[in-house]
Amino acid sequence: MALNEQKDKKSVQQLIAIQKGKKGKKWFEKSIPVILFVIASISVLTTFGIVFTLIFETFEFFRRVPILDFIFGKEWLPFSNSQPRYGILPLIAGTLKVTLIAVVVAVPIGLASAIYLSEYASDNMRRVIKPVLEVLAGVPTIVYGFFALTFVTPLLQQFIPELKIFNALSPGIVVGIMILPMIASLSEDAMSSVPNSIREGALALGATKLEVAMKVVLPAALSGIMASIVLAVSRAIGETMIVALAGGSTPRFDMDMTDSIQTMTAYIVQVATGDAGYGTTIYYSIYAVGFTLFLFTLLMNWLAHAISKRFREEY
Amino acid sequence: MRYIDHASVVKRMSGRMIVNKIFQAIFLVATLFALLTLGVLFYRIISQGMGFLTPDFFMNFSSRFPEKAGIKAALVGSLWMMAVVAPVSLILGVGSAIYLEEYATKNKINSFIRMNIANLAGVPSVVFGLLGLTIFVRALSLGNSILAAGFTMSLLILPVIVVASQESIRAVPKELREASYAMGATKWQTIAKVVLPSAIPGILTGGILALSRAIGETAPLVVIGIPVIIQFLPENFLSQFTAMPMQIFDWAKRPQEAYQSVAAAGIIVLMIFLLAMNSIAVIIRNKFQKRY
């Protein structure tokens, strides 16, 4: 009896041997990492695609417009029939104005929220505020743009009568509101990762909570905070719909906050919604502007990366 | 010898405590600013758009007359686009994440892929639009179709999905994998039948949040030239279409006062969509979240 059973049933070792004999399975198993590697390389292809299309079309643009005129030109008049000018500086000025206002709004409020959430708030308070920040971060930028155009600008006009319908101030403030959750939550993460033992040490020496926050936690979390601000600046530079709706389309090379401006992103939108034909200089100019924008944000992202890597505190 | 002058400490203490309280109040006010902004934003948009949010609004195409303008084409167009974005971005994103977490060794190519994904996340969406315009609309001559827009959006949200999937795959404990190997399972069997089922709630949560970003994103659509005046529904993936944010952008730009309300009504529809998707993501996160 026992012997018969042994004959019918195969041992685990035998089963594995049979499995190994199935060539198909083996081939399947080996092809999986190759397929997945190809999928993972698509993100690399995307980057190459972005860089190459931008460089390629920008090169075409520079065959028509001298590169020095583009970099140092103080006039951006692409739609002029008689004398089109392609100097990027007015668009950069517009972008910087909006970014500057956004930073002035978002950094103090964002840092204050981060300090409150990490040092003062009770768990209940945190449970309410954090989802609000998440919702605020998830609001589409087109909604913010509409808000800037129909609410913030009229509101500001009550206090600043000379403010135009399209201006730098209103989109700047709203971009600030848009990047606020980013600064608040990333800085809060950096502050929360400062170990409690350090806080308790300072408290035991008689420091108040404010002194602990300002003199102990803030310096310890500085690299994370700086990185969050730089990342937020990068987001503000690349922000498109808010400035396209509320910023206007008048590129100007000055620091006037109350008049209509144009940012790099808003120019791309203006050309894309207009009817500039394929192959015209105006068509190629959006790639040159896009490339400049790409370089700006890339620089900021690398800076953020370098800051958080270089000054990382390990506890 | 006394190092601490007790009297001066006592004298200064009350002042320091008051400063502490004042700053606590300032920090609280700053935190509540976010809450206030969100409240004002929602209140403004709802009060402005509610009047236009009639059944007709969902049944009509966009129109030259604000009172006849509807969101039908844009709503259906957004859904069609999502039918492209959801499978494409999830397959690419989860596939990349499995490769990076389970197969990739620590060599230069793989760390380059990792760095690249981090960099890609920081590229402005308008630049993705330029990529889509050049590659999908022109080079592959898809035109301003659902497919071209869907591919562009998929690439845009790819980094978000990869990172979210990586995190939830990483959170699956090693013991589960080892138990599977000990039972004689191959690597792919382990991934497909052990790792992915435990990681799927996290992947879905991250994926839905990323998709909700794709629904609300406008700039790439503007750049690849998605039209706004569409009087028909798409028939296949190569049809022309329009999407909700695009339609809202068009309405918001128009000078007539009434279109502001139409835009607000459109925003309400868009926000309800996003809210629903976010709620689903939160429900999945809470219901299936496993603690090991």
Side-chain angles (χ1 to χ4, degrees):
Chain A
M1 271 294 273
L3 267 173
N4 270 341
E5 257 178 37
Q6 281 281 311
K7 258 182 199 166
D8 293 340
K9 285 190 176 172
K10 296 186 180 74
S11 69
V12 175
Q13 283 82 1
Q14 280 171 317
L15 281 170
I16 290 175
I18 290 166
Q19 280 288 325
K20 276 191 174 169
K22 286 181 185 167
K23 282 267 163 61
K25 275 272 188 208
K26 219 172 174 180
W27 171 83
F28 179 71
E29 193 70 33
K30 275 192 176 159
S31 64
I32 292 282
V34 179
I35 296 169
L36 291 178
F37 177 75
V38 171
I39 289 178
S41 351
I42 286 187
S43 69
V44 179
L45 276 181
T46 308
T47 308
F48 280 141
I50 289 173
V51 172
F52 279 122
T53 49
L54 287 180
I55 289 180
F56 201 70
E57 308 281 26
T58 304
F59 190 73
E60 183 59 40
F61 176 74
F62 285 142
R63 293 218 320 222
R64 297 154 185 236
V65 175
I67 186 164
L68 290 178
D69 287 5
F70 178 71
I71 298 174
F72 298 109
K74 290 180 184 139
E75 274 184 307
W76 184 264
L77 301 165
F79 303 106
S80 157
N81 284 325
S82 53
Q83 190 83 40
R85 296 282 182 88
Y86 293 94
I88 187 92
L89 288 180
L91 295 184
I92 292 180
T95 304
L96 287 185
K97 275 188 239 180
V98 169
T99 309
L100 196 73
I101 299 166
V103 165
V104 168
V105 171
V107 169
I109 300 177
L111 283 188
S113 314
I115 293 174
Y116 185 80
L117 286 175
S118 105
E119 304 300 315
Y120 289 99
S122 64
D123 279 350
N124 278 331
M125 193 70 188
R126 218 169 289 153
R127 262 198 286 276
V128 176
I129 297 289
K130 282 221 135 187
V132 170
L133 287 178
E134 268 173 45
V135 172
L136 210 55
V139 172
T141 55
I142 181 79
V143 177
Y144 278 126
F146 180 78
F147 185 62
L149 184 64
T150 62
F151 178 69
V152 178
T153 303
L155 186 74
L156 288 173
Q157 275 173 331
Q158 312 233 315
F159 302 101
I160 313 165
E162 69 268 25
L163 197 72
K164 304 273 175 18
I165 296 174
F166 299 112
N167 56 72
L169 201 55
S170 162
I173 291 172
V174 176
V175 171
I177 292 171
M178 185 201 81
I179 61 174
L180 194 156
M182 195 176 180
I183 294 182
S185 65
L186 289 180
S187 300
E188 202 248 341
D189 287 347
M191 288 188 206
S192 299
S193 67
V194 174
N196 260 335
S197 54
I198 296 184
R199 282 192 192 87
E200 281 153 7
L203 286 170
L205 287 171
T208 63
K209 270 197 165 181
L210 178 70
E211 287 157 353
V212 173
M214 297 307 239
K215 293 178 183 163
V216 178
V217 177
L218 214 61
L222 199 62
S223 68
I225 293 169
M226 293 296 285
S228 82
I229 294 173
V230 176
L231 274 182
V233 166
S234 165
R235 273 284 290 281
I237 291 175
E239 170 43 41
T240 309
M241 296 325 289
I242 301 173
V243 285
L245 265 178
S249 50
T250 324
R252 50 174 75 238
F253 185 58
D254 57 24
M255 270 296 150
D256 184 4
M257 301 291 180
T258 59
D259 213 339
S260 173
I261 56 158
Q262 188 163 45
T263 64
M264 293 189 270
T265 50
Y267 173 70
I268 297 175
V269 167
Q270 187 194 6
V271 173
T273 49
D275 40 25
Y278 171 69
T280 58
T281 311
I282 291 177
Y283 172 80
Y284 286 113
S285 73
I286 62 174
Y287 288 94
V289 173
F291 190 46
T292 316
L293 175 70
F294 178 72
L295 288 182
F296 267 82
T297 53
L298 192 67
L299 202 72
M300 285 293 160
N301 292 336
W302 278 350
L303 188 64
H305 188 67
I307 290 171
S308 57
K309 208 174 176 186
R310 175 86 172 69
F311 301 103
R312 175 166 292 155
E313 304 256 357
E314 299 281 357
Y315 298 105
Chain B
M1 191 172 153
R2 291 177 67 172
Y3 287 104
I4 301 172
D5 181 359
H6 191 71
S8 82
V9 168
V10 167
K11 216 166 84 186
R12 288 188 51 211
M13 199 61 199
S14 61
R16 287 164 60 201
M17 295 299 279
I18 290 168
V19 171
N20 179 40
K21 283 287 168 206
I22 292 171
F23 268 87
Q24 181 172 1
I26 292 174
F27 293 150
L28 177 64
V29 169
T31 312
L32 293 180
F33 177 78
L35 209 73
L36 177 79
T37 316
L38 200 64
V40 172
L41 184 88
F42 281 161
Y43 171 74
R44 281 284 306 185
I45 284 164
I46 289 172
S47 64
Q48 209 173 353
M50 218 46 196
F52 274 81
L53 212 60
T54 55
D56 277 352
F57 186 68
F58 294 93
M59 302 308 292
N60 286 351
F61 293 106
S62 187
S63 159
R64 281 191 297 121
F65 307 102
E67 56 279 4
K68 282 188 189 163
I71 202 166
K72 187 178 179 188
L75 186 62
V76 175
S78 276
L79 292 177
W80 272 83
M81 192 179 78
M82 280 303 115
V84 176
V85 176
V88 172
S89 64
L90 278 176
I91 289 171
L92 293 184
V94 178
S96 308
I98 294 173
Y99 177 77
L100 290 174
E101 285 303 313
E102 300 287 331
Y103 286 101
T105 47
K106 275 202 168 169
N107 64 27
K108 285 216 168 110
I109 298 177
N110 295 326
S111 65
F112 178 71
I113 294 180
R114 286 201 174 92
M115 190 198 75
N116 175 68
I117 287 171
N119 272 328
L120 211 55
V123 175
S125 59
V126 69
V127 173
F128 275 96
L130 289 175
L131 173 80
L133 175 68
T134 324
I135 304 290
F136 299 128
V137 176
R138 299 224 188 270
L140 299 179
S141 42
L142 293 172
N144 38 23
S145 62
I146 295 167
L147 218 50
F151 285 158
T152 310
M153 284 294 185
S154 303
L155 294 183
L156 175 69
I157 63 172
L158 184 60
V160 186
I161 295 189
V162 173
V163 172
S165 310
Q166 271 184 294
E167 272 167 14
S168 49
I169 290 174
R170 211 176 299 148
V172 177
K174 226 176 171 165
E175 289 79 359
L176 285 186
R177 291 186 181 84
E178 278 158 4
S180 171
Y181 289 138
M183 302 288 283
T186 61
K187 185 152 194 170
W188 175 246
Q189 284 169 337
T190 306
I191 292 169
K193 293 181 179 159
V194 177
V195 178
L196 276 185
S198 350
I200 214 85
I203 292 175
L204 276 183
T205 308
I208 293 173
L209 290 179
L211 285 180
S212 75
R213 185 173 161 211
I215 277 203
E217 192 67 70
T218 323
L221 297 180
V222 176
V223 176
I224 62 179
I226 299 304
V228 283
I229 299 148
I230 289 275
Q231 301 289 343
F232 53 85
L233 294 180
E235 280 163 4
N236 56 48
F237 286 114
L238 287 171
S239 301
Q240 277 204 326
F241 79 114
T242 189
M244 282 191 282
M246 205 57 217
Q247 193 73 72
I248 294 165
F249 178 50
D250 179 55
W251 285 332
K253 268 195 316 181
R254 297 193 188 194
Q256 300 99 308
E257 191 79 24
Y259 271 113
Q260 307 273 303
S261 306
V262 181
I267 288 175
I268 296 176
V269 177
L270 179 65
M271 294 298 277
I272 288 173
F273 244 81
L274 297 184
L275 213 62
M277 289 177 78
N278 280 286
S279 313
I280 293 171
V282 170
I283 289 169
I284 292 176
R285 185 166 63 188
N286 291 344
K287 189 155 187 185
F288 296 99
Q289 202 167 41
K290 280 188 197 160
R291 300 234 179 258
Y292 299 103

